[in-house]
Amino acid sequence: MAGMLFLFSCQRGQFDRGKYAIIMKSKNNWYNELASEGFKQTVEDGGKSCIVLYPDHPSVQEQIHLIQNLIDEKVEAIAVAANDEYALTPVLTQAREKGISVITLDADVEAGSRSIYISPVDAKELGRELVMEVDRLCGNSGQWCILSAGSRSANQNEWIYMMKQELQNLKYSNLRLVDIAYGEGEYEKAAEKARLMLETYPDLKVMCCLSTEGIKAAADVVKERGQETDVKVIGLGLPDQMEAYVGRGPEDVCPVLFIWNPRELGRVAGYVCLELAEGRIEERADQELLLGGMTYPMDYGQDGGLEVIAGEPIRVDSENIGYWKDQI
């Protein structure tokens, strides 16, 4: 490593009071709320005040409006989970020109419009794990589909890219990815897309869902149609929301799901915001950041911007869902 940067656990009062803000993708989403909780607690323990904002709907226009208001309020730092990889560039650039520290978490923007991206998980590892489970459930051959969230969401698109890269392995040559649909981060739209794919592809074996609202919607749709034994739903979900569907039996819709700790994602983002706003982070790669007693490498991501990976994918099934339900 070129250098070691120690970011010690921030105690209340260590910093002057100031306003830090987090904007997640949408409200009424448990994942977003858990990430915001982690961020808020860390920032307030660091002696700052925290503003938590959610768009009414997962739209980039509402996020732009919220960021503009925060610029006018002269906050010290903004952390945003972007609904659009490109459309936030002008307003985030404006924020940085005003001296506001800007980071992203969960879903990134163009690298030049933020300082550091807090990625929830290693995208390549996640893509590999998802494809391996699809292959297992399909019996090494057959039709499957992806139900994503926003079509312009950087994290979703990166996971899909990594899944496609994994599919280049010859051992998956008999798998057929028939469709990629987008629920745009909303339960009802995700359910609509799930119904359409089940009707369009009667031989479908697996729906792989890349968002917490998407996997719940798909599981509900499969159950309401009575297709539990024919179609399995996997992907990214919260154990508490999916507990009723997880199991090994032929009637269980969801054999396995993956998740990370969204509170930890928010916590890491909070620490990085505190240190960045105070000028304690050198914006270069090959560093190890010690955040609250845990070490996180900071390096260049796929887009060339600085990135910190907050955690690893957690495999949740019938054996451990009770444990993870209590942990997350």
Side-chain angles (χ1 to χ4, degrees):
M1 292 291 178
M4 177 77 79
L5 180 64
F6 292 98
L7 307 185
F8 294 99
S9 179
C10 303
Q11 300 298 317
R12 186 175 297 278
Q14 181 177 342
F15 298 97
D16 294 332
R17 297 295 295 181
K19 293 180 180 178
Y20 284 52
I22 183 169
I23 303 173
M24 295 302 289
K25 290 184 176 181
S26 62
K27 66 178 182 179
N28 300 323
N29 181 302
W30 194 21
Y31 176 92
N32 291 338
E33 291 170 7
L34 290 173
S36 295
E37 282 179 15
F39 183 89
K40 184 174 187 290
Q41 181 177 351
T42 300
V43 165
E44 291 182 346
D45 285 349
K48 302 290 185 177
S49 61
C50 185
I51 302 169
V52 177
L53 299 172
Y54 305 97
D56 289 332
H57 304 283
S59 75
V60 67
Q61 291 80 12
E62 290 187 45
Q63 285 191 321
I64 290 171
H65 178 69
L66 292 174
I67 293 167
Q68 288 172 333
N69 288 343
L70 292 172
I71 293 172
D72 292 340
E73 198 164 339
K74 299 180 180 177
V75 298
E76 289 188 51
I78 298 172
V80 59
N83 280 322
D84 189 297
E85 182 177 2
Y86 303 104
L88 290 180
T89 295
V91 70
L92 291 180
T93 300
Q94 180 186 353
R96 297 185 75 189
E97 290 172 350
K98 296 287 186 179
I100 298 171
S101 297
V102 174
I103 71 164
T104 52
L105 72 158
D106 192 55
D108 201 9
V109 294
E110 291 183 285
S113 59
R114 50 77 173 169
S115 290
I116 300 168
Y117 168 48
I118 313 302
S119 174
V121 71
D122 184 285
K124 185 175 182 179
E125 182 181 357
L126 179 62
R128 180 170 56 248
E129 293 280 355
L130 289 171
V131 171
M132 288 172 59
E133 288 298 332
V134 168
D135 185 55
R136 181 179 67 85
L137 293 169
C138 284
N140 309 120
S141 68
Q143 296 183 3
W144 67 288
C145 67
I146 294 173
L147 177 58
S148 184
S151 59
R152 295 179 64 83
S153 181
N155 60 339
Q156 302 275 317
N157 291 333
E158 185 178 14
W159 298 334
I160 292 170
Y161 173 81
M162 291 302 179
M163 292 175 77
K164 288 181 176 180
Q165 291 296 106
E166 179 67 17
L167 285 171
Q168 299 302 310
N169 191 313
L170 290 177
K171 68 181 180 179
Y172 303 123
S173 59
N174 291 324
L175 287 182
R176 186 182 171 203
L177 176 58
V178 294
D179 203 354
I180 301 174
Y182 298 91
E184 301 302 337
E186 296 184 1
Y187 176 90
E188 291 300 333
K189 288 183 180 180
E192 179 185 340
K193 295 295 185 179
R195 291 188 189 96
L196 180 60
M197 286 193 290
L198 290 172
E199 292 167 0
T200 305
Y201 307 103
D203 295 326
L204 197 68
K205 290 184 177 181
V206 175
M207 300 180 68
C208 184
C209 306
L210 302 183
S211 64
T212 55
E213 72 282 349
I215 194 171
K216 179 64 165 60
D220 286 344
V221 168
V222 168
K223 184 174 182 180
E224 78 182 22
R225 292 171 62 93
Q227 294 183 251
E228 297 97 324
T229 59
D230 301 318
V231 182
K232 299 304 177 184
V233 175
I234 70 166
L236 310 179
L238 292 169
D240 185 68
Q241 289 182 320
M242 294 300 295
E243 185 178 24
Y245 292 110
V246 173
R248 294 181 175 181
E251 74 287 351
D252 293 310
V253 177
C254 181
V256 62
L257 58 91
F258 292 86
I259 194 56
W260 44 85
N261 191 331
R263 283 195 188 93
E264 180 68 9
L265 173 65
R267 189 184 76 91
V268 173
Y271 278 120
V272 170
C273 258
L274 286 168
E275 297 295 330
L276 188 64
E278 294 295 318
R280 299 174 188 265
I281 291 180
E282 296 180 44
E283 294 191 38
R284 59 182 176 79
D286 299 322
Q287 297 180 79
E288 287 188 347
L289 312 181
L290 185 62
L291 307 171
M294 296 184 66
T295 301
Y296 301 85
M298 184 165 73
D299 214 327
Y300 294 116
Q302 186 180 16
D303 64 353
L306 290 174
E307 177 178 299
V308 174
I309 296 175
E312 297 180 354
I314 300 166
R315 188 183 191 278
V316 179
D317 57 22
S318 59
E319 297 295 318
N320 63 5
I321 190 166
Y323 172 80
W324 287 112
K325 176 186 174 183
D326 293 336
Q327 297 298 311
I328 298 176

